[in-house]
Amino acid sequence: MSCENQDKIHKPRFFDNTMDEKESFEPLPNKHLRGSLTRGLGLQEEIREARKTPIYWWFMTLQASEDYLQCCRNLGKGRLANLYKDFGDVDKKSFAQWWTAQGRKIFAERKKLKRVEAIEERSQLERLAITEDRLIIEVPLTLRRQTAIRQIGKELKKAYEGRDIDIWQQSTAKRQIIKSKVRMSTVETILRVFKIRDENPRLSNYEIGLKSGIDLDLLARTTDGEVIDEALERRRMTIAVSRYLAQAKNLIANAENGIFPSLQKPKKT
């Protein structure tokens, strides 16, 4: 699905009326956006990159949540008030509008990222402390550069041995995407099925599946080599749509609870 069509998943359809980049705009470090940490991105590039991340699909999932939309219409009051404080209004807004107003702030790093630093002043040296997550190296500048790099590399190899670096564990963003095996292509399909069911309550699950474009590989054969008949195809499609709708319910409920992406049955709060 192209970026132009992705915002059509839910009933509201709007246009990307973002602020002029000439207005006050401060690039924010965001671990989800390619290039954000190294060179900084302009607003339009931020939006393009953000559309490629699970952040986009969290936004779309909230647009599929009737409870969250109602919270937006109530100006943030109700059961989902705490979520609204961060995500703000998604009702009748495009992703670009929401990203500019809310998304870029809640998924940006709130503290400076750690980096390699050269100790050039005594005051810096006095603040140093030996800790488990720090390696202090003295480099005599009388060494040849290649020799120094080789020796530094050896020390780094020893220091990193056995360490599992999780950049997300170190994130200071206000809202976090959880570790999950759920693919965003699956989320897209789930939301499409949910939307079509919402708009067509009288259709059967089989008809919803056809309208959603679910591919069940209709040329698949049984272990006996017989072509699957129409009745079996209908049952398979009906089961698949039922599963997608159940997953949509869980996906939306978890997103409302600040957990995304998760298809697990939400915990009672």
Side-chain angles (χ1 to χ4, degrees), residues 26-145:
E26 176 190 359
L28 299 175
N30 188 315
K31 290 185 178 182
H32 293 278
L33 310 186
R34 185 177 56 182
S36 175
L37 303 182
T38 55
R39 58 184 175 83
L41 306 176
L43 177 59
Q44 298 306 321
E45 191 174 4
E46 263 193 13
I47 294 169
R48 286 195 298 271
E49 290 298 322
R51 282 180 179 275
K52 304 172 186 176
T53 73
I55 297 171
Y56 174 84
W57 291 106
W58 196 343
F59 166 82
M60 296 301 289
T61 301
L62 290 180
Q63 281 202 329
S65 165
E66 189 56 43
D67 285 351
Y68 191 73
L69 292 180
Q70 190 59 50
C71 180
C72 294
R73 294 162 192 154
N74 291 336
L75 302 179
K77 296 178 182 179
R79 179 177 66 87
L80 300 178
N82 285 335
L83 188 71
Y84 183 89
K85 289 178 182 177
D86 289 342
F87 282 84
D89 190 358
V90 305
D91 188 25
K92 299 181 180 179
K93 289 186 182 295
S94 67
F95 177 73
Q97 291 170 327
W98 172 81
W99 176 260
T100 303
Q102 299 288 141
R104 64 186 307 269
K105 292 181 289 187
I106 62 175
F107 287 98
E109 297 300 312
R110 292 180 288 175
K111 293 183 180 179
K112 283 188 176 181
L113 301 178
K114 294 180 180 179
R115 52 176 295 175
V116 174
E117 292 185 276
I119 305 302
E120 299 175 333
E121 298 178 5
R122 182 174 295 276
S123 60
Q124 292 175 283
L125 185 61
E126 292 172 349
R127 290 197 299 268
L128 285 181
I130 297 175
T131 62
E132 291 184 356
D133 63 350
R134 172 183 288 162
L135 175 65
I136 301 173
I137 296 178
E138 179 186 8
V139 182
L141 295 181
T142 54
L143 290 177
R144 294 175 64 242
R145 183 171 179 271

Side-chain angles (χ1 to χ4, degrees), residues 151-162:
Q151 292 181 2
I152 290 171
K154 289 180 180 179
E155 294 300 327
L156 285 175
K157 184 178 180 180
K158 287 192 296 182
Y160 275 99
E161 189 173 348

Side-chain angles (χ1 to χ4, degrees), residues 152-179:
I152 290 171
K154 289 180 180 179
E155 294 300 327
L156 285 175
K157 184 178 180 180
K158 287 192 296 182
Y160 275 99
E161 189 173 348
R163 288 177 177 266
D164 183 17
I165 307 301
D166 184 353
I167 64 169
W168 298 111
Q169 191 175 19
Q170 308 298 325
S171 176
T172 59
K174 195 168 188 180
R175 288 288 175 171
Q176 305 283 343
I177 301 293
I178 67 168
K179 282 187 175 181

